[in-house]
Amino acid sequence: MRVNPLRKDLQKYVTRHNLVYKFTKQLNLFLADPGYPSLNTERIGTKHLEIYSFRIDRKYRAIFVYTPDGSIEIIDINNHYR
């Protein structure tokens, strides 16, 4: 599985919130096993919108979609409780 590079705004967000290490660790876990228990990977949205998320830590989640070529695109990283 391949992950598209993070957009610049998401790179800044990860850096600004001191999530670089946690994000990298969780992304590597996701690539090894998308169903790994601590990731809490879940589908969000409706049946027609195939949007998913995985946990970076208790507060932050990465929102992603599968692209037509089979890679993953992180479309947002946000505070899960806002």
Side-chain angles (χ1 to χ4, degrees):
M1 195 175 327
R2 189 176 75 80
V3 177
N4 295 338
L6 283 180
R7 297 186 326 249
K8 295 233 187 251
D9 62 322
L10 294 178
Q11 289 174 5
K12 287 180 184 178
Y13 186 88
V14 168
T15 303
R16 188 173 350 122
H17 290 89
N18 298 317
L19 296 171
V20 174
Y21 174 76
K22 288 180 182 181
F23 174 73
T24 303
K25 179 181 174 240
Q26 294 298 88
L27 183 60
N28 287 331
L29 274 175
F30 178 80
L31 292 173
D33 179 7
Y36 194 81
S38 72
L39 293 172
N40 290 52
T41 304
E42 63 185 0
R43 183 182 199 165
I44 54 178
T46 66
K47 291 180 184 179
H48 304 293
L49 294 175
E50 302 224 3
I51 301 173
Y52 301 86
S53 71
F54 66 83
R55 177 184 281 177
I56 297 171
D57 65 12
R58 288 181 175 237
K59 187 175 178 182
Y60 294 97
R61 295 189 72 79
I63 312 300
F64 67 94
V65 295
Y66 289 98
T67 62
D69 67 356
S71 63
I72 294 170
E73 170 117 20
I74 307 285
I75 57 173
D76 193 25
I77 296 173
N78 60 41
N79 182 330
H80 187 57
Y81 298 105
R82 285 198 172 172

